[in-house]
Amino acid sequence: MDLETLLFSQGFGSRRQCRGMIAEGRLSIGGEARTDPHADIPLTPPPEFDVDGARWMYREKAYIALNKPAGYECSRDPQHHLSVFHLLPPQLAERGVQSVGRLDQDTTGLLLLSDDGAFVHTYTSPKKKVPKVYLATVRHPLDDAQLAKLRDGVLLHGESKPSAALAAERRDDHSLELTVLEGKYHQVKRMVAAAGNRVEKLHRERMGGYALPDSLAEGAWRWLDEADLAALREK
Ligand code: URA
């Protein structure tokens, strides 16, 4: 791959902009400025390169985990709040990264993003049945009848079939751990309301076998590696 295509593929701007950046000496590899946009670079192993002093690694596709804070919308074109894309380097939006499903603006926790259309589709589709684990803080003390309703299934407004949680456990009187397979609009809030309680705070802790890492601060993001993607596929 030539150096212009390398930067272009990783979201550094139009081909013309990438050519310009290289000509200005802003790209270096192994500590050496590289100013010929047509020079070739092998892709195996994936090359590391610096742009304006920041280190990047070539990635054919981007797979990202974000610890979403409250007050951010998952849309790129948000209506009332900032977009989660404000928390990511602009290169990621430029290369077409999108969120894998959506969390409400007031929901926190694990949000995946990718520019791999098949991956986004797979993990958004209800058919894939990826377990998603949420921690909900609820207004009223939890009781066994509510937990049983969540496990047995509650009929949500506008739905013809009940929605059941794969698991519903009390962590304490006001904390509920809920595992759901689908990703319907406001699903957890609607299920908890239908079971007779109310979600005051919602946090996604896990998707498949991939848990939000403790080391990932609120608002921070990280690349997912092969082991993370394999964990995600676990049920
Ligand atoms: N369920 C909800 O109600 N909201 C979310 O953000 C995610 C799941």
Side-chain angles (χ1 to χ4, degrees):
M1 182 177 279
D2 69 20
L3 295 177
E4 172 191 314
T5 309
L6 173 76
L7 290 195
F8 176 67
S9 70
Q10 303 300 289
F12 284 87
S14 66
R15 285 192 167 273
R16 199 161 143 253
Q17 287 167 328
C18 292
R19 247 186 343 263
M21 290 167 73
I22 296 169
E24 286 163 18
R26 293 165 63 189
L27 168 69
S28 56
I29 299 175
E32 251 179 65
R34 301 287 301 269
T35 51
D36 175 4
H38 302 301
D40 267 326
I41 182 156
L43 294 185
T44 38
E48 291 196 337
F49 56 96
D50 296 309
V51 177
D52 298 332
R55 175 66 46 92
W56 291 83
M57 188 175 88
Y58 171 81
R59 286 178 165 87
E60 189 183 349
K61 295 286 176 204
Y63 303 98
I64 286 156
L66 171 73
N67 184 354
K68 180 191 172 297
Y72 286 81
E73 292 182 29
C74 291
S75 160
R76 267 190 208 217
D77 193 14
Q79 304 292 307
H80 304 291
H81 301 85
L82 288 175
S83 161
V84 289
F85 287 93
H86 279 95
L87 300 165
L88 302 173
Q91 288 82 359
L92 296 180
E94 177 75 26
R95 66 180 281 178
V97 162
Q98 49 181 303
S99 77
V100 177
R102 292 193 171 186
L103 291 176
D104 300 334
Q105 67 78 18
D106 54 353
T107 300
T108 59
L110 178 60
L111 180 70
L112 302 180
L113 300 108
S114 180
D115 59 357
D116 177 345
F119 176 86
V120 173
H121 176 76
T122 301
Y123 284 93
T124 312
S125 157
K127 284 194 205 128
K128 174 79 181 171
K129 299 211 183 304
V130 182
K132 290 169 271 282
V133 181
Y134 292 89
L135 182 64
T137 308
V138 294
R139 176 176 294 179
H140 310 293
L142 286 161
D143 62 38
D144 290 342
Q146 291 167 14
L147 296 174
K149 276 189 198 159
L150 290 166
R151 290 187 202 116
D152 294 345
V154 285
L155 194 61
L156 302 179
H157 187 70
E159 302 272 339
S160 54
K161 287 192 199 139
S163 299
L166 197 63
E169 308 289 338
R170 182 197 284 109
R171 284 208 192 159
D172 65 42
D173 269 2
H174 289 271
S175 310
L176 165 72
E177 182 184 311
L178 201 69
T179 307
V180 297
L181 290 178
E182 314 94 325
K184 292 179 192 151
Y185 182 66
H186 292 330
Q187 181 167 350
V188 172
K189 291 175 185 167
R190 289 160 71 210
M191 285 177 69
V192 170
N197 211 319
R198 189 185 160 95
V199 171
E200 305 246 296
K201 269 197 202 165
L202 189 60
H203 180 78
R204 184 154 68 192
E205 292 190 329
R206 176 184 288 270
M207 287 178 72
Y210 181 76
L212 185 68
D214 288 341
S215 57
L216 195 63
E218 206 173 66
W221 65 278
R222 53 170 284 182
W223 299 102
L224 297 179
D225 61 21
E226 283 304 325
D228 299 327
L229 294 173
L232 192 59
R233 287 191 285 269
E234 285 166 22
K235 292 280 163 79

